[in-house]
Amino acid sequence: AARTYYLDNPMGKSRPSQKGKDARSRGLLKTNPDRVLSARLGSKKSGKPKESIEELLARANVLLETSQPDEALSHALRALSKLKSENIDSTARALSTLVLLAEIHLELGDADAARNAFLQAVSLDPTGSVNESQGGGAEKFLWLAQLSEEGGHDSVSWFEKGITILRNELASLSNPKMQAQKRKKLAAAFCGVVEIYMTDLSWEPDAESRCESLMTEAMLVAPESPETLQTLANVRISQTRFEEARKALADSIELWKELPAGDDGVPEFPARISLSRLLMEIEMEGEAMEVLERLVEEEDTSVEAWYLGGWCMYLTAERRTQKKAANFQAVDSLEDDARKASLMSSRNWLMNSLLLYESQDYEDERLQDHARELVRDLDSELGDEHQDPSDEEDGAEEEDWESDGDNEDQAMEGM
């Protein structure tokens, strides 16, 4: 079967979703980007003392960290409005406010407003020389690389600005822990450029040589970063150097597989979704399922994780048949049972994915179509013996009703 993955952004961290970082629980906030610098909030008099800019920003930060972005936006906009109305000439204050606003808009899924705020922040700190704690540094440049509407060379340009700033910051650090963190961020920026040369700019004649050069730099800076090794594997797959890709992915997983959920050393959820796809692409289905099983343990409402788990088990079953056929061996009963178990597991994962798809109003129709196609194939081979989990409660209620009816009949007969 063709290895088609109906999910975008192979690196898992390219551009933020239009539904925000957590589309399951937050909808898209329709915010005009111009509101960032022209917000006019009502100022009804109340008995409460007016909050200072520092208090508004502190409150906005707390609200953002506690998954209350709508309320955080209100406080951050009030802080920015206060900065303007009081004619406070403070680059650091305005910069930190704009960066916070951008982060809130990202959480809400409003990429246009986030881009607008980051661009205004760059106008206040064009070289990234302001202290990072005040909204300076490379972060806004790296985000603009990912939020670029043009993509391609424009994204590369933003990444390169961020890389220059990170290099300078790294050279000034003496603390080993801070150096390691900065190295990891610098390597991630190199990998971001690699991704662009593998997608938007893949047609350029020097795309492959640029990827090689960038990967060399990333590996020199952070050779033990799971994300760096994962990107290296992606490059090697594109070059059909599959053994090198397998080694890179195995090394990447080894770095974090024993770490507990939530540990800083564990790659983010989207990166591990991408990892599972890469593993499947080079026939490492067993490792892919280990990654996906851990993902659904951590977050059991991910449509992508359940879909990929079903697709992976489907490929596992296929592989069993193909290996026997290639060796001209008949499929014995044990092998057939194992294959059937993989197919049944595949159907369960895919059914879960489809149920979550419906409950979340998910928007990737190609994923849904592929999952449905696989389920139809599985039903054809296994027989339509499965029950849609959404029907289980109805079935249980019907059983209870029939049981109650039988009891009532028996009671009437005894009278």
Side-chain angles (χ1 to χ4, degrees):
R3 292 177 174 279
T4 305
Y5 300 98
Y6 300 115
L7 295 171
D8 296 328
N9 294 335
M11 299 311 299
K13 209 177 169 184
S14 176
R15 295 187 179 108
S17 161
Q18 290 302 304
K19 285 192 171 183
K21 293 167 75 177
D22 190 354
R24 290 172 285 94
S25 58
R26 288 183 286 277
L28 179 64
L29 181 70
K30 302 293 184 184
T31 304
N32 186 331
D34 294 334
R35 278 182 64 194
V36 175
L37 285 181
S38 62
R40 293 291 188 271
L41 300 177
S43 57
K44 293 182 180 179
K45 292 184 179 180
S46 68
K48 295 181 181 179
K50 292 183 178 179
E51 292 177 286
S52 67
I53 294 170
E54 289 76 11
E55 288 171 334
L56 287 167
L57 293 176
R59 181 63 178 155
N61 267 303
V62 170
L63 289 165
L64 180 60
E65 290 170 4
T66 54
S67 301
Q68 301 176 73
D70 292 286
E71 293 83 353
L73 178 64
S74 173
H75 282 72
L77 286 171
R78 285 168 59 195
L80 190 59
S81 179
K82 201 172 181 66
L83 272 172
K84 290 178 63 183
S85 64
E86 296 179 8
N87 292 317
I88 298 174
D89 185 16
S90 172
T91 298
R93 273 185 175 180
L95 188 56
S96 59
T97 303
L98 286 166
V99 170
L100 176 59
L101 267 173
E103 292 172 353
I104 294 169
H105 284 306
L106 285 172
E107 186 73 9
L108 289 163
D110 195 336
D112 290 336
R115 186 188 309 110
N116 183 274
F118 278 131
L119 285 170
Q120 291 173 70
V122 166
S123 71
L124 296 176
D125 181 32
T127 62
S129 57
V130 175
N131 191 285
E132 199 169 15
S133 64
Q134 298 174 328
E139 199 70 22
K140 52 188 174 290
F141 297 91
L142 301 177
W143 268 116
L144 284 168
Q146 298 173 74
L147 293 168
S148 171
E149 288 185 291
E150 298 174 33
H153 290 293
D154 185 60
S155 289
V156 170
S157 176
W158 285 115
F159 267 126
E160 288 175 341
K161 289 175 183 176
I163 286 169
T164 299
I165 296 165
L166 289 170
R167 286 187 188 277
N168 293 335
E169 291 175 345
L170 182 58
S172 67
L173 294 174
S174 57
N175 182 294
K177 186 175 181 180
M178 293 177 68
Q179 284 180 334
Q181 292 172 345
K182 198 66 69 175
R183 285 177 181 277
K184 189 174 181 181
K185 186 172 286 189
L186 179 56
F190 284 130
C191 290
V193 183
V194 169
E195 182 189 346
I196 294 168
Y197 275 102
M198 291 182 70
T199 52
D200 295 2
L201 301 180
S202 60
W203 47 270
E204 297 221 336
D206 65 340
E208 184 173 358
S209 62
R210 288 294 303 270
C211 286
E212 283 295 333
S213 174
L214 289 160
M215 282 313 310
T216 298
E217 291 199 73
M219 289 297 290
L220 286 171
V221 170
E224 293 191 351
S225 163
E227 291 85 350
T228 301
L229 289 165
Q230 189 171 318
T231 306
L232 175 63
N234 201 16
V235 173
R236 294 293 175 256
I237 290 171
S238 72
Q239 298 168 329
T240 66
R241 293 159 65 176
F242 299 128
E243 285 306 315
E244 292 175 59
R246 290 187 183 100
K247 183 180 185 310
L249 290 180
D251 290 345
S252 175
I253 295 170
E254 193 65 33
L255 292 168
W256 58 267
K257 69 177 185 179
E258 300 297 334
L259 298 176
D263 189 286
D264 289 341
V266 178
E268 294 182 7
F269 197 98
R272 284 180 284 158
I273 285 285
S274 296
L275 169 62
S276 67
R277 285 188 234 123
L278 292 174
L279 289 164
M280 291 162 64
E281 192 166 349
I282 53 175
E283 301 181 6
M284 295 176 71
E285 286 90 357
E287 291 83 352
M289 280 310 300
E290 289 180 10
V291 172
L292 290 163
E293 284 168 355
R294 177 165 174 168
L295 287 174
V296 296
E297 283 179 9
E298 294 177 17
E299 179 52 81
D300 63 2
T301 58
S302 169
V303 174
E304 297 96 329
W306 286 105
Y307 159 73
L308 286 170
W311 183 215
C312 188
M313 292 307 296
Y314 186 92
L315 293 174
T316 300
E318 260 194 352
R319 192 88 53 226
R320 291 179 183 277
T321 303
Q322 289 169 358
K323 284 180 180 177
K324 287 286 184 179
N327 296 323
F328 301 100
Q329 296 175 347
V331 178
D332 57 38
S333 59
L334 287 176
E335 192 69 28
D336 189 55
D337 288 345
R339 180 178 180 279
K340 186 174 181 180
S342 294
L343 292 176
M344 291 178 71
S345 178
S346 170
R347 186 164 62 181
N348 289 338
W349 280 73
L350 291 166
M351 289 299 296
N352 278 336
S353 174
L354 289 169
L355 283 172
L356 289 167
Y357 186 103
E358 294 297 334
S359 67
Q360 296 174 22
D361 294 326
Y362 209 70
E363 292 184 353
D364 190 340
E365 292 183 3
R366 291 182 300 170
L367 181 152
Q368 183 189 41
D369 291 342
H370 188 226
R372 283 177 170 172
E373 178 187 343
L374 291 172
V375 170
R376 283 194 296 270
D377 289 346
L378 290 163
D379 285 346
S380 176
E381 179 162 350
L382 297 171
D384 191 9
E385 300 170 357
H386 72 283
Q387 182 180 29
D388 188 324
S390 65
D391 294 334
E392 287 180 3
E393 288 185 14
D394 294 338
E397 286 176 8
E398 188 174 337
E399 268 186 38
D400 290 342
W401 181 85
E402 289 176 355
S403 176
D404 290 343
D406 291 342
N407 291 337
E408 285 179 16
D409 291 342
Q410 290 171 7
M412 289 293 289
E413 288 173 4
M415 288 179 68

